[in-house]
Amino acid sequence: MEDFDNDGFVDLLIAGSSNRYFHNNGNKTFTKIEGLFNTNDMLSFATGDLNHDGLIDLYTSYGDAYNNPSNIDDVLWMNNTRNNNHFITINLLGTISNKGAIGARALIYGAWGTQIREVRAGDNYGTTNTAMLHFGLGTSTTIDSIVVKFPSGITTTVINPQVDQFMTIIENDCVSPVASVTYSLADNVICTGTTETLTATTAGLSYLWNDGSTLQTLNITAGGEYNVEVSAAGNNCQAISPTFIIEQDPDQTPVITATGETEFCNGSSVTLQSQTYGASSFTWSNGDFTPFTSITQTGVYTLTIQGFCAQFTSTPISVTVHVVPDPTTNNVTIQGPGSATLNATGTVINWYDSLNATTPVFTGPTYTTPVLTAQTNYWVDNSETFNAGIFNTGLFVPSGNTQFSANTTNARMFFDVIKPCTLKTAKVYTDTPGLRRIELRNSADSLLQFLDVTIAPDSQIITLDFILSPGTDYYLTTDAAFNQAIPGWGNISPRLKRNSVGVNYPYIITDAISLTGNNFGGQYYYYFYDISVEKTGLTCTSNKVQVTVDISTAGLQSIDASGIQLFPNPANEILNIHLQQPGEVLVNLYDATGRRVSNNTFTNLQNTLSLSGLQPGVYTVELVKSGNRYQQKLIKY
């Protein structure tokens, strides 16, 4: 239980196998924070402020138990939290009580209420935490008082102590003077060729800087770690100031990241941004001057910043914008009502009946419209797919000192999925034919997909067709219940070949998958060779282009002048024939080939001609009256 970020609330770190860190939210709840440490099993740890900067660090050990030591190195984790929180650390020494002041309590009072710490021994497993009492103060800059209760019953009270200091209190003796330092350094950085001054804030004391200097001030020209020990005449309690870690000419090369995909279709964009600390100016290669920029065009982009001591330029990041050319097409004019044939050129042509339609009415380069009776607009676009196809990765064949899985080994091949894709095939090798079950599982060991396959001796390509979604720590393995007994051994094993030389993870298919390792060490490659993956690719679409179908009536003689009316046109089942003057009229109907399909004679003023049974299309109506002939186009739909 330690306040790792000095916000005034004690956080929890738990070890013993896999570690768990819970941040105290200050409202009686905790949030589990992932990714702070490596993935090794943390056996135990010790807490303390190793570099005396006011932040609690960790010294950690790894393994299963101390009676079965591991060969995993211990790790020192330095706390690099950056915030504006304050702290105070108290070092207690006993005189009448035990020298280490074990059992002593310190209570600090302030706007937050009361915080309590106790000096303890044996407070961990195999390691020992610091005996110093560390308090985070959050944003508070004052402490009302400190009350220390030693096991002897002696109590020491300190009124209104300064924050951000390391204080020593000796039982029944003394309280250390304040050891603090002021300086003018911006962000603890010094540039070559400059001199900065550190000053112990309390005058009239004895000073000992960690470089041996004894003045109240210290001039520095280089980076390093600096602190000062102060003491007062007649006071046995010395104090050491917080350590100031000064960095010289820091490398502030910015790292730029994309908030989305860096390969996309025209009309979209991606934002490039940098969170570089301490930059006073930003200059993007496209001319923007902000910490972020929106990119809409193909190119290679960099960011140059003005750091504390120099300018720095980022590693470039490439952006690819796919522009699909608009289809080539032409407007069409048809003679009278009817169907029109529309043509367009491109890769994949889609036709739409409105500008905002998302579902095409037809896909293909040639579209025949329905019968049109008036001017009609259509829209057409062109689509292309980029980077689709089948790609291979992993070791192609086993090589070197290879062998088959023996005993009960059932290895896992780990991989990450970057974008949706399909794991198509893999090659396996065996000397023991028979049934195997190939499994795909996720990081939670949940079975996602499997395939039962009978494997023949030597090598065989197996078709998996496993659908993959983006994620980490997937793995391929076999189901032990479907594995085979090893000849001469009797043990059940996959009996598939592994590789033990020339292994070099990761094996990557860009924008698809990355083979990251296995559960038996990075020097091995297990079971699945020449892995093929199908990428779906990126489909982009051009602008929509308008196509207009016009209906022309040029060259068609009006029949109305003869005193005869035909309607409707286009017609479906019935054509009305009205005579303005009595008399006989002969009506002939011809199809598009000139073949007469009907002939009738009418004498009434109002007559109907049945079109039932005729196929939709363009026909010619011929009328003969009083020796005069008239023709007109008729659309049957």
Side-chain angles (χ1 to χ4, degrees):
M1 293 182 286
E2 281 284 1
D3 187 352
F4 287 102
D5 59 353
N6 287 337
D7 64 354
F9 300 99
V10 174
D11 308 305
L12 299 177
L13 179 62
I14 303 168
S17 58
S18 59
N19 62 79
R20 293 169 177 82
Y21 174 75
F22 294 91
H23 178 260
N24 192 330
N25 299 318
N27 59 0
K28 301 181 182 180
T29 68
F30 291 79
T31 298
K32 185 179 181 181
I33 307 298
E34 305 281 4
L36 294 179
F37 309 102
N38 58 32
T39 57
N40 292 329
D41 288 340
M42 185 184 292
L43 179 64
S44 186
F45 58 84
T47 62
D49 186 354
L50 190 69
N51 59 349
H52 212 66
D53 66 349
L55 295 169
I56 296 297
D57 309 304
L58 294 173
Y59 186 85
T60 58
S61 62
Y62 297 88
D64 296 322
Y66 276 119
N67 59 2
N68 183 24
S70 75
N71 59 0
I72 302 174
D73 291 336
D74 295 347
V75 176
L76 172 64
W77 298 96
M78 300 301 295
N79 190 338
N80 60 359
T81 302
R82 296 183 69 103
N83 57 36
N84 294 318
N85 292 335
H86 300 282
F87 76 97
I88 191 166
T89 299
I90 305 171
N91 181 31
L92 299 181
L93 298 175
T95 54
I96 300 172
S97 303
N98 62 86
K99 186 174 182 179
I102 305 300
R105 281 188 170 187
L107 298 84
I108 69 170
Y109 300 89
W112 56 83
T114 306
Q115 292 193 56
I116 303 175
R117 302 287 187 272
E118 184 177 77
V119 183
R120 297 177 179 177
D123 199 24
N124 219 324
Y125 176 65
T127 57
T128 300
N129 294 334
T130 181
M132 291 188 176
L133 305 181
H134 174 82
F135 298 83
L137 306 177
T139 58
S140 295
T141 58
T142 60
I143 300 172
D144 176 80
S145 58
I146 299 174
V147 177
V148 177
K149 299 180 180 181
F150 289 94
S152 64
I154 294 174
T155 298
T156 300
T157 300
V158 182
I159 303 299
N160 193 27
Q162 183 172 308
V163 302
D164 296 332
Q165 67 161 312
F166 292 85
M167 174 185 293
T168 298
I169 299 176
I170 299 178
E171 181 184 21
N172 202 35
D173 187 346
C174 57
V175 176
S176 61
V178 175
S180 60
V181 174
T182 60
Y183 57 95
S184 59
L185 289 168
D187 294 277
N188 292 7
V189 168
I190 190 170
C191 302
T192 298
T194 63
T195 300
E196 300 291 344
T197 300
L198 306 181
T199 303
T201 55
T202 305
L205 302 176
S206 295
Y207 312 97
L208 179 61
W209 296 90
N210 61 322
D211 70 343
S213 301
T214 58
L215 298 178
Q216 185 178 359
T217 60
L218 176 68
N219 293 325
I220 62 171
T221 59
E225 297 186 1
Y226 299 93
N227 58 48
V228 62
E229 181 184 86
V230 301
S231 59
N235 188 336
N236 294 321
C237 294
Q238 290 103 19
I240 300 176
S241 71
T243 297
F244 294 93
I245 303 172
I246 309 301
E247 189 175 6
Q248 182 173 350
D249 299 328
D251 181 358
Q252 294 177 271
T253 301
V255 176
I256 55 178
T257 58
T259 58
E261 300 293 338
T262 56
E263 183 175 3
F264 50 87
C265 301
N266 186 41
S268 297
S269 65
V270 65
T271 298
L272 306 183
Q273 63 183 12
S274 172
Q275 296 180 343
T276 302
Y277 183 77
S280 60
S281 66
F282 300 84
T283 303
W284 292 91
S285 54
N286 66 346
D288 282 350
F289 297 98
T290 57
F292 58 88
T293 184
S294 181
I295 304 300
T296 60
Q297 296 182 341
T298 295
V300 178
Y301 298 89
T302 59
L303 171 64
T304 299
I305 67 164
Q306 178 60 55
F308 293 120
C309 301
Q311 284 191 338
F312 299 90
T313 299
S314 70
T315 299
I317 187 168
S318 295
V319 174
T320 301
V321 181
H322 292 292
V323 180
V324 178
D326 293 344
T328 301
T329 187
N330 292 298
N331 296 330
V332 171
T333 300
I334 59 176
Q335 191 73 23
S339 297
T341 299
L342 308 180
N343 293 287
T345 58
T347 304
V348 177
I349 297 297
N350 293 297
W351 300 89
Y352 304 88
D353 56 10
S354 71
L355 177 61
N356 297 320
T358 57
T359 301
V361 295
F362 184 76
T363 297
T366 301
Y367 171 48
T368 300
T369 73
V371 172
L372 305 177
T373 61
Q375 184 186 79
T376 305
N377 293 323
Y378 290 91
W379 286 262
V380 59
D381 65 26
N382 178 30
S383 296
E384 293 184 23
T385 300
F386 302 89
N387 300 325
I390 296 178
F391 303 83
N392 292 68
T393 192
L395 288 179
F396 183 68
V397 294
S399 61
N401 182 24
T402 60
Q403 62 183 20
F404 296 98
S405 287
N407 299 324
T408 57
T409 299
N410 197 31
R412 301 174 177 183
M413 174 66 79
F414 292 104
F415 63 96
D416 298 335
V417 179
I418 303 163
K419 291 185 179 180
C421 55
T422 301
L423 180 58
K424 297 294 291 183
T425 64
K427 184 184 292 185
V428 295
Y429 296 78
T430 190
D431 62 352
T432 305
L435 183 67
R436 310 291 199 281
R437 172 168 287 184
I438 310 300
E439 294 185 338
L440 170 66
R441 292 178 176 267
N442 62 16
S443 58
D445 294 329
S446 300
L447 178 63
L448 303 179
Q449 299 172 69
F450 69 89
L451 175 71
D452 292 337
V453 57
T454 300
I455 301 178
D458 196 23
S459 65
Q460 179 174 331
I461 295 176
I462 54 177
T463 300
L464 299 170
D465 283 334
F466 289 163
I467 306 301
L468 304 178
S469 299
T472 59
D473 292 333
Y474 292 97
Y475 64 89
L476 285 176
T477 188
T478 62
D479 185 339
F482 288 77
N483 286 329
Q484 300 294 314
I486 305 169
W489 289 62
N491 293 326
I492 302 298
S493 163
R495 201 60 181 172
L496 299 176
K497 186 168 281 191
R498 77 178 188 189
N499 196 97
S500 59
V501 297
V503 179
N504 186 24
Y505 294 104
Y507 296 92
I508 298 174
I509 297 177
T510 302
D511 290 336
I513 69 169
S514 173
L515 305 182
T516 57
N518 62 83
N519 58 326
F520 288 104
Q523 71 271 32
Y524 297 113
Y525 184 99
Y526 278 93
Y527 306 159
F528 304 102
Y529 298 85
D530 193 21
I531 292 174
S532 69
V533 172
E534 184 175 26
K535 297 166 60 173
T536 56
L538 175 65
T539 299
C540 299
T541 303
S542 71
N543 299 311
K544 286 181 178 176
V545 176
Q546 180 175 307
V547 180
T548 299
V549 179
D550 279 322
I551 306 224
S552 174
T553 58
L556 293 181
Q557 183 179 5
S558 172
I559 295 182
D560 289 342
S562 67
I564 303 173
Q565 293 180 333
L566 302 181
F567 62 91
N569 190 2
N572 185 4
E573 297 293 329
I574 298 295
L575 176 64
N576 295 297
I577 304 173
H578 288 188
L579 307 179
Q580 295 181 5
Q581 300 292 331
E584 184 180 82
V585 60
L586 175 65
V587 179
N588 296 315
L589 190 62
Y590 301 90
D591 64 16
T593 66
R595 181 174 62 91
R596 189 169 67 177
V597 295
S598 73
N599 68 302
N600 295 272
T601 300
F602 299 102
T603 58
N604 297 324
L605 292 179
Q606 296 183 358
N607 309 279
T608 58
L609 175 63
S610 174
L611 303 178
S612 177
L614 297 180
Q615 295 296 319
V618 180
Y619 293 83
T620 299
V621 180
E622 181 185 58
L623 300 101
V624 181
K625 183 182 180 185
S626 303
N628 296 315
R629 292 179 179 273
Y630 304 92
Q631 289 185 338
Q632 181 167 316
K633 295 289 186 182
L634 171 69
I635 302 299
K636 165 70 167 67
Y637 63 92

